Every structure is written in C-alpha cells, then in structure tokens.
Amino acid sequence: MTAIRPRRRRRGSHALARLLKVAATLLVTYLYFAYAPDPYNLARPLDVTHPPTIVNDLKLRLGGVERCYQALARSGIELERLPDEVKGPGCGFEDVARLDQSFITWGDGITLTCPMLVGLAWWERHSLQPIAQDLFGSQVQRVRHFGTYSCRNVNNADGGRRSEHATANAVDVAGFVLADGREISVLKHWGDDSPEGRFLERIHDRACDHFDTVLGPAYNELHRDHFHFDNGGYETCR
Ligand SMILES: [Zn+2]
C-alpha cells in the first residue's frame, strides 16, 4: 500500500499571493484617499456644510482646535475667538469663540467651544432647515435661546458638580422663528399633536447626532421650556 504524501506547497505561489494582497491593499487605500467623497474621506478637511458622518465626527474629535476653527471659517460662519479666561472655581473658558452669524441668526450671547459651534452648524443645516422645510415649507430664520456660559452647578444646585455651562460647553435653546413669521416654542409646543410639536420632537432627536448630551422637557421640569445641548462627554438623549 502506498502512503499518500501531503503535497508540498510551492514557496513561489505563497510569495505571489502575499504580493497581490499588498498590491490590492495599496490600490484600495489609494482609491479611498483619491476618490472617496469629502464627508467620508479622512484626507479632506472638515467642512460643516457637508452632512455629519462618522468620518466627519472623527475629523472633529481628532483634528484639534485649529482645524475645527478653520472648518467654521471655510463655511462662512462669522465668529470672534476670545482669550482664555478663568472666572472662578471651576468656571471660565478655553479656546472659545463668540458667534456673530451662523447659517441662522442666533442674536447675542452665544460663546461656545469650537466643537459645540460645529454641532450647532450641523444641526441648523442638516436638521433644522430640512425638517422646517418638510413640515412648514419655510426656513428657520432665528433661534431663541437662554445663552451658553454661566458659572453654576448642574441643575442650578448649591452643591454638586459644575454644569457644562460653567465652561461655555453648553447651550439652551428655547424656540424658533420661521421665515413665514411662525413662532415655535419649546414651552408652548412640546408634546403637541401639531406640526410645531412634531418639529420639536424631530429636531430634538436629531440633535442627539450632534451633541454628547441632549436634554428636553421629557427629562425634567427644569427643562420644560428649553433643550439643553452639551459636549461634556456624557452620552444621553432625553
Ligand atoms: Zn443648559
């Protein structure tokens, strides 16, 4: 009886297979960086006029403050960077800017960290406007807000930890004025079975794609008249 000997693999075919694998990887990498559309391409600079994608989110988180501000400048958003300031124990800000004009008018009192400003720009352009257009056939012209920076603790408590507002890393949004004159208010319309109520519900849910923390009237009584957004790193959407 003859024993069946295992066939010896040829060293040459192994080397060729490896070479082809490396060549294919290089080709795919080249094609990705050369041709992937900007919102999905890590080599292209962040552009807030493009839709937020997982790649854009990575660019924002890993790109650093200067690239963040460059992205806002490219989009035409007007702002003034402010000097760092310590205002009290646990209060003050670093690398913030005062918003003068975004895609929508916010009025005075918007001083925020750069990733928060990018979040607002994304929310305006890719959530507020398309949803307003869909429900009302009109655009949001103005946002009503309760401000950003405030040296205080979470929930205005006497003790406990500092709010993200204490480092200009949070904003409270109270309502909207549309181009057709219609007013939408979190206090008046949240929970309504009306286009205004549906608008608030949809933009609240979409905000959770742009900020770490999103709190609204469903969270607690203190938020009955506004949405709170911050980038403090605590992921919640309520
Ligand atoms: Zn707040």
Side-chain angles (χ1 to χ4, degrees), residues 11 56 63 98:
R11 218 177 265 172
N56 273 340
R98 190 193 65 223

Side-chain angles (χ1 to χ4, degrees), residues 190-221:
W190 177 261
D192 272 11
D193 183 16
S194 64
E196 285 85 353
R198 284 188 284 282
F199 174 77
L200 290 175
E201 195 182 329
R202 283 174 66 182
I203 60 164
H204 168 278
D205 290 353
R206 291 292 294 273
C208 301
D209 296 337
H210 309 304
F211 305 100
D212 292 343
T213 297
V214 172
L215 303 172
Y219 174 58
N220 67 12
E221 181 61 14

Side-chain angles (χ1 to χ4, degrees), residues 146-148 152 155 163-165 170-173 215 223 226-230:
F146 295 152
T148 55
R152 60 177 170 83
N155 290 335
S163 159
E164 290 299 317
H165 285 287
V171 62
D172 291 334
V173 174
L215 303 172
H223 294 81
H226 70 276
F227 297 149
H228 164 100
F229 305 147
D230 78 59

Side-chain angles (χ1 to χ4, degrees), residues 66-105:
E66 293 312 316
R67 283 193 191 160
C68 180
Y69 278 115
Q70 283 161 14
L72 288 172
R74 268 194 301 276
S75 68
I77 288 173
E78 293 166 28
L79 47 83
E80 186 178 338
R81 292 181 67 174
L82 302 180
D84 297 349
E85 213 174 316
V86 177
K87 286 174 170 277
C91 290
F93 37 73
E94 229 175 275
D95 296 323
V96 300
R98 190 193 65 223
L99 185 66
D100 290 332
Q101 181 63 41
S102 190
F103 301 123
I104 297 172
T105 299

